[in-house]
Amino acid sequence: MLKDTRLYQLVEPITKALEDNRQADIRPFLDGLSSAEIARLIDAMPKETRQLVWPYVSTEQVGEVLLSTHKKLRHELARSTQESILVESLGHIQVDELADLDDDLPAEVLNAMSMVMGEQQRQRYETVKDYPDNSAGGLMNIDAATVRADVTLKSVQRYYRRLRVREEGLPEHLDSLMVVDRCHHLVGILPLITLVSADQNAVVDTVMQKVPSSFTPLQSDADVARVFADRDLLSAPVVDEDNHLIGRITVDDIIDVMRNQADKELLGRAGLDKSELMFGPLLPSSLRRALWLGVNLLTAFMAAWVIGLFEASIEKLVALAILMPVVASMAGIAGSQTLTVVTRGIALDQIGRGNFVKLLYHEISIGLINGVFWALLVSLVVYLWFGSWKLGIVFGASLLIGILTGAISGAIFPIALKRMKIDPALAGGVLLTTATDMIGLFCFLGSATLILL
């Protein structure tokens, strides 16, 4: 039976055990948790607590926990771990996973690991450690199981049974074998389901998939994740420019990519990045947030400046002050809807020159339909509320312009930001709010000044 993974429930009893000097009670709390769950638990603890809990993580799990924990904590935790424990624990992880950690490990630990590696392991480590983390090369495992195309399925099964005994296991998440020629060129893929269900006397070449999905090592992890999702892949080979097989990517790596993308988008909405720790250092965290607060303050002052231009009008007609937030809010919401649709389309690689103009026209049309509907409705409401049909018309027209502004801005800003290599999820909302507030308020207050006063 799986252990309850609502980890926040463990923080309080672990903290209580530390306060009562019952250190022996900490290990049972960690028993049964996966390495990823322990990493999330440690991420949720203040620094002084996690430093006390960390020594109770089992040696077998230390390496995997380091892999799963927040990148900014790895260096801190690795430095607080005995060298012998680190070396022993890192011996349980794959070579490609060690490459993900090498920037956070002490030099003496890396040297010790290099000394205990075999020549083949060392060559594999050198192969993967220089690839960027956000690339197919950074994701891949180099333990791809291979087979030749000119052997029978019976021979393949016999070979891998012997290999399993000799190596005490097979590569993790193995769902298919990579078919290669004598020069290690990729020629196809043999799914395990085919291996065990087809005629055992059949030759691999006759039953393999001959046009497999494959990646080059420098392809972005976002592109890889998109292909995995589109084609329902569980694993895929990575090949170099000459089609030599160099590794494979498995679906568990893609889950990590998708989770990181979701985290990035969620934090980006508040102007934060993935470096934000739940219990990060106060001053750096404050400085990062202060920058975003300053940007938002600037945009708020820009909207306030527009309002200030019509101070006399607002003093003469109090209804303008009452209705101003409605114009800004409706325009902002309409723009956010378009912004979300377009940003998602960019992330899924669905928007380009061939369809952007039509998409812009589509979003403007939606904005026009909604704008006319709500403009007519609120014009009637304002007339019944304030008894002025002129105010109702001015308010309705301004609302229509604001919604159209939101639709146009929400479609154009993400594309423009992408061209400038700025993340639309991070900066799009600020630009959109500025545009809709300034234009919507200017239209409302300006037309009210001209027509009503």
Side-chain angles (χ1 to χ4, degrees), residues 147-150 177-190 204-205 208-212 214 237 239 243-245:
V147 65
R148 294 276 295 280
D150 56 355
L177 305 178
M178 307 301 166
V179 186
V180 296
D181 62 16
R182 294 179 182 275
C183 297
H184 214 62
H185 293 108
L186 179 69
V187 296
I189 287 179
L190 177 64
V204 170
D205 181 65
M208 69 180 183
Q209 297 176 7
K210 296 186 178 181
V211 188
S214 62
V239 297
N243 202 41
H244 290 109
L245 178 68

Side-chain angles (χ1 to χ4, degrees), residues 235-253:
S235 66
V238 180
V239 297
D240 63 17
E241 59 273 11
D242 296 320
N243 202 41
H244 290 109
L245 178 68
I246 57 177
R248 69 181 179 120
I249 298 173
T250 52
V251 70
D252 60 311
D253 300 312

Side-chain angles (χ1 to χ4, degrees), residues 22-64:
R22 293 183 288 107
Q23 283 80 0
D25 293 344
I26 295 176
R27 181 62 66 87
F29 287 120
L30 303 181
D31 288 342
L33 294 180
S34 69
S35 299
E37 289 168 339
I38 294 175
R40 286 196 288 122
L41 181 64
I42 288 175
D43 286 351
M45 292 178 173
K47 180 176 180 179
E48 57 275 10
T49 304
R50 63 175 174 257
Q51 287 288 0
L52 293 173
V53 171
W54 178 244
Y56 293 94
V57 176
S58 66
T59 300
E60 293 77 13
Q61 287 185 298
V62 165
E64 292 287 352

